Amino acid sequence: MTEVKIVEDCVASAETAFAYVNDYRNLSRFITEVHDFTPRTEQVEGVGATFDGIIKLGPASLHSRLEVVRWEENFAIAVKSIKGFEIESTFLFHDKGPDLCTVDAIVDYRVPGGIAGKVLGKTIEPFVKIAVKHSTHNLTTQIAEFHTSSQG
């Protein structure tokens, strides 16, 4: 698997950051490459919640069914594909006080074997790195705004 990890401070509590990411409806707001993210289960948070997603990276549209595999309130959310494009995404929220936390965004992905997989891997790798960095920046900015609006 190929791992991309971005770590960025955020002007909000870990609790606020977790709440923002935990609401699946916010996903396409901070990950602009996500074109669809639809619940497949009535459960929309916590381990076992399942979603269908489409992400566009450069010329490739990748489809996955994702399941929440880790959910530790105010600390961690991780999803892993159970069908389609193999990806695992984890967000960690490190509390540094009432108005500061660090967000770790970690994306692991695997392309299929063979020539087609190698071509896809070379095609999407730069887009994945840019997308994760851009998404983490969007996320920390949006969380800070969400934190400020919920305080007032």
Side-chain angles (χ1 to χ4, degrees), residues 2 16 41 51 67 91 111 117 128 131 141:
T2 301
T16 300
T41 55
F51 303 86
E67 182 177 350
F91 291 96
V111 294
V128 171
T141 301

Side-chain angles (χ1 to χ4, degrees), residues 124-142:
I124 69 169
E125 184 174 5
F127 294 103
V128 171
K129 289 179 179 176
I130 292 167
V132 174
K133 184 168 182 53
H134 185 251
S135 297
T136 306
H137 177 74
N138 285 347
L139 176 60
T140 56
T141 301
Q142 291 170 23

Side-chain angles (χ1 to χ4, degrees), residues 14-71:
E15 181 180 0
T16 300
F18 179 89
Y20 190 83
V21 173
N22 193 49
D23 184 343
Y24 76 92
R25 297 168 295 185
N26 290 329
L27 188 70
S28 62
R29 293 181 184 139
F30 64 88
I31 304 176
T32 56
E33 294 80 9
V34 170
H35 287 259
D36 188 35
F37 199 71
T38 307
R40 298 295 301 168
T41 55
E42 283 188 36
Q43 176 186 348
V44 294
E45 68 176 36
V47 172
T50 306
F51 303 86
D52 279 344
I54 299 171
I55 189 165
K56 185 151 176 56
L57 294 170
S61 287
L62 308 168
H63 300 253
S64 292
R65 178 157 294 163
L66 302 162
E67 182 177 350
V68 177
V69 294
R70 181 177 179 191
W71 191 93

Side-chain angles (χ1 to χ4, degrees), residues 16 143 145-152:
T16 300
I143 289 170
E145 292 168 0
F146 178 68
H147 182 70
T148 301
S149 69
S150 66
Q151 300 295 309

Side-chain angles (χ1 to χ4, degrees), residues 10-17 95-101 147-148 150-151:
C10 180
V11 184
S13 67
E15 181 180 0
T16 300
D95 189 21
K96 292 188 165 186
D99 294 313
L100 186 64
C101 70
H147 182 70
T148 301
S150 66
Q151 300 295 309

